[in-house]
Amino acid sequence: MDGVVHILRRFIGVTILICILLFIFNFIMLGSFVFNGMNEKQSPKKILENVVLNLEHKGKSYVLGKPAKKLLAQNHAWSMLIDNTGKVKWNYNLPKEIPLSYTLIDVAKFSRNYLMDYPVFVWKHNDGLVVVGYPKKSYAKYQFYFPISWISSLPMRIVTLFVSNIVLALFLSILIGTKLIKSVKPLIAGVHALSKEEPTYVEVKGIFSDLAESINHTSDILQEKNTALKARDEARSNWIAGISHDIRTPLSIVLGYASELEENMAIPVEQRQQAGIIRKQAQKLRSLVSDLNLVSMLEYEMQPLNLKPVRLSVLARKVASEFLNNGLDERFTITLDISDENIKVKADEKLLLIAINNLVQNSIIHNPNGCKILLKTCISSDNLTCYFIVSDNGKGVPRDKLSKLTELPYSSNKKHSFRNGHGLGLPMVARICQAHHGQLVLESEIGKGMKAIIQLPLYFED
């Protein structure tokens, strides 16, 4: 609904803006046309003034200067001088049909409009009245009379007209926009449904029928693909879960017999060592199956989370004590840097322990010559995010390969497999972080060690 209202607002705003621009454009164009029309030629008033100024009385006759004659000739105009008795005392190119004598009434009639259909213009001269006439149908002369009160109210009338146009434009835009929205609204709902991967059907009618058909067709395709993907994912998950379940029993038997053989003093040393190798490899296989099953569950969001407030300091100490108590090689050291004992997250403690253990194990596996491992907890500057950092000073990883480390080993994006380990550790940690609405950030350079940062939302007690 918000999208529909937004479209309607934009439509109304654009319509009003276009109307205002059209009003201004028309006003400018009208003024330009009127101005250009009035000044297309030399104005009659200027020609008349030029004739009056250049008409001189010499002796018993009158002489018109050359500039004035030139202007009259260019405009196909004629002129005459009427004295105070109504007689024509001088003329230039006067048509034959024009009288040479006029009464006061005749002068009053033609002085404002026409003389025998000739548009004429009159100006006072020292010796009478100068008349300049133009060819018939060359000028239109109109007289307008307005009350002073009407002229005074003209600005308000213009404002009223402008506001009326805006109101009319608003009304029309709402009317047209409402009808348009009725056609667009189902399409918008259909697109939103597609974005949520929900099935949708838009009635095919109106000017948007082609678009409606496309939305319906896309919805059908998405539903078919989602169904196929869901079936494939369920099959893959069930296959992994089944394999994991079926392998556990044989693995337990192998581990049990291998342990008995390894501890049986009656068996030669070489065979006991071989039994120990079998036990270790079986343990690795059991770990691999467990990791694969967990990654699969996390990948398809099928892993249930037992969420509760967990202190990061407790996790750090548990991980450190577990590695130290299980006989950590003396080439490796683990130190803690806990900034605040009360930093808490709402998480599945078991999964976070698995993630941290994998990060520490990753540092051990990829640094066979030993390294210093640091477990650090801290809070972001905005007090919204907390960090659990596992870093080492080992050989590090090229920066351009960091983005590939969190991809699954069977991903199509990976071109090279891992030399050490099965490659599920970091992808599993990344997916555990995602399941807790966080993320795993990796920082490393060759020769400068590796830093893995688990970023999680900080937990606030009510």
Side-chain angles (χ1 to χ4, degrees):
M1 187 62 186
D2 292 339
V4 173
V5 174
H6 179 69
I7 293 175
L8 184 58
R9 286 178 179 172
R10 291 289 297 271
F11 179 78
I12 292 173
V14 170
T15 303
I16 293 176
L17 180 61
I18 291 174
C19 289
I20 293 174
L21 293 177
L22 284 176
F23 181 85
I24 296 173
F25 175 76
N26 288 324
F27 185 79
I28 294 173
M29 291 299 294
L30 179 62
S32 176
F33 291 153
V34 172
F35 180 80
N36 290 337
M38 293 176 65
N39 296 276
E40 186 176 1
K41 301 178 181 179
Q42 191 80 310
S43 68
K45 182 179 178 182
K46 290 184 178 180
I47 294 175
L48 181 59
E49 291 177 352
N50 205 303
V51 170
V52 172
L53 292 173
N54 285 274
L55 184 61
E56 298 180 357
H57 188 196
K58 293 185 177 180
K60 293 182 179 181
S61 63
Y62 290 86
V63 178
L64 183 62
K66 288 183 179 181
K69 283 184 178 181
K70 186 177 180 181
L71 284 175
L72 290 173
Q74 288 175 347
N75 289 274
H76 307 288
W78 49 266
S79 183
M80 63 180 177
L81 174 64
I82 303 174
D83 65 9
N84 294 331
T85 63
K87 303 294 184 181
V88 177
K89 304 297 292 182
W90 167 87
N91 70 83
Y92 174 80
N93 288 340
L94 189 69
K96 293 180 180 180
E97 57 191 304
I98 300 298
L100 299 176
S101 179
Y102 299 91
T103 65
L104 183 61
I105 295 175
D106 293 333
V107 174
K109 286 181 178 180
F110 73 71
S111 62
R112 301 294 292 177
N113 293 297
Y114 301 88
L115 174 59
M116 299 182 69
D117 294 331
Y118 289 94
V120 294
F121 299 87
V122 180
W123 198 266
K124 181 182 178 182
H125 189 270
N126 292 334
D127 296 333
L129 201 64
V130 172
V131 179
V132 173
Y134 289 84
K136 295 178 180 180
K137 298 182 180 180
S138 60
Y139 279 96
K141 298 184 68 177
Y142 299 97
Q143 302 295 325
F144 299 98
Y145 304 95
F146 301 98
I148 295 298
S149 59
W150 190 91
I151 296 295
S152 300
S153 64
L154 187 59
M156 182 58 66
R157 291 174 185 271
I158 294 175
V159 172
T160 302
L161 178 63
F162 184 73
V163 172
S164 300
N165 276 273
I166 292 179
V167 172
L168 180 61
L170 180 63
F171 172 75
L172 292 176
S173 64
I174 292 175
L175 182 64
I176 298 172
T178 302
K179 291 185 177 181
L180 180 64
I181 291 302
K182 286 183 179 179
S183 301
V184 175
K185 189 175 180 180
L187 301 178
I188 295 175
V191 172
H192 286 318
L194 289 179
S195 67
K196 298 176 183 177
E197 299 184 357
E198 296 175 354
T200 183
Y201 176 78
V202 180
E203 188 176 356
V204 180
K205 65 176 183 179
I207 60 175
F208 298 113
S209 57
D210 292 342
L211 187 57
E213 287 181 355
S214 298
I215 291 175
N216 295 336
H217 182 61
T218 303
S219 177
D220 293 339
I221 293 175
L222 285 176
Q223 292 308 308
E224 291 176 4
K225 288 186 175 181
N226 284 341
T227 301
L229 286 172
K230 186 176 180 181
R232 187 183 70 179
D233 290 344
E234 287 180 354
R236 180 187 297 171
S237 179
N238 290 332
W239 180 82
I240 292 173
I243 290 295
S244 300
H245 181 270
D246 293 342
I247 288 178
R248 282 195 184 99
T249 301
L251 271 180
S252 297
I253 295 174
V254 170
L255 282 169
Y257 281 119
S259 297
E260 288 181 7
L261 291 173
E262 185 181 14
E263 295 172 359
N264 191 343
M265 302 304 294
I267 298 176
V269 175
E270 183 179 354
Q271 293 181 358
R272 290 204 307 269
Q273 291 176 346
Q274 293 173 349
I277 293 173
I278 294 173
R279 178 183 58 78
K280 290 179 181 178
Q281 294 302 318
Q283 288 176 340
K284 287 185 178 180
L285 184 58
R286 183 172 62 181
S287 175
L288 170 60
V289 171
S290 178
D291 289 350
L292 181 61
N293 190 44
L294 178 57
V295 169
S296 176
M297 299 287 281
L298 291 169
E299 183 77 12
Y300 303 114
E301 299 181 355
M302 299 172 64
Q303 173 66 32
L305 298 180
N306 182 23
L307 299 177
K308 63 179 182 179
V310 178
R311 284 196 300 161
L312 295 186
S313 60
V314 173
L315 295 181
R317 289 190 174 90
K318 279 187 178 180
V319 171
S321 61
E322 182 177 341
F323 276 94
L324 293 174
N325 293 333
N326 288 334
L328 182 64
D329 194 301
E330 60 182 9
R331 291 172 297 177
F332 300 93
T333 61
I334 297 179
T335 56
L336 302 180
D337 182 0
I338 298 172
S339 62
D340 187 345
E341 290 284 347
N342 296 316
I343 298 176
K344 291 183 179 180
V345 294
K346 193 168 186 179
D348 187 314
E349 183 176 359
K350 181 179 177 182
L351 287 180
L352 281 188
L353 282 173
I354 292 174
I356 299 169
N357 270 294
N358 268 277
L359 293 178
V360 175
Q361 193 65 41
N362 187 69
S363 294
I364 295 173
I365 291 174
H366 293 283
N367 295 288
N369 295 326
C371 66
K372 295 179 180 179
I373 302 172
L374 173 66
L375 305 183
K376 180 179 179 180
T377 64
C378 55
I379 303 177
S380 62
S381 58
D382 57 7
N383 292 325
L384 296 176
T385 306
C386 60
Y387 305 116
F388 194 109
I389 303 172
V390 178
S391 60
D392 62 60
N393 64 343
K395 60 183 181 180
V397 177
R399 186 179 298 178
D400 58 344
K401 293 184 179 180
L402 288 175
S403 60
K404 303 294 183 182
L405 295 179
T406 56
E407 294 176 1
L408 291 170
Y410 48 79
S411 171
S412 60
N413 295 327
K414 279 199 173 179
K415 297 181 180 179
H416 305 287
S417 58
F418 286 89
R419 293 183 180 179
N420 298 323
H422 49 66
L424 290 176
L426 290 178
M428 180 168 57
V429 175
R431 281 151 183 78
I432 290 174
C433 293
Q434 291 172 6
H436 290 85
H437 306 290
Q439 64 175 334
L440 173 65
V441 179
L442 300 177
E443 298 177 2
S444 181
E445 287 186 23
I446 291 293
K448 295 185 178 181
M450 180 81 165
K451 179 186 286 187
I453 306 171
I454 297 176
Q455 299 182 0
L456 298 173
L458 187 64
Y459 173 73
F460 298 95
E461 295 184 359
D462 297 333

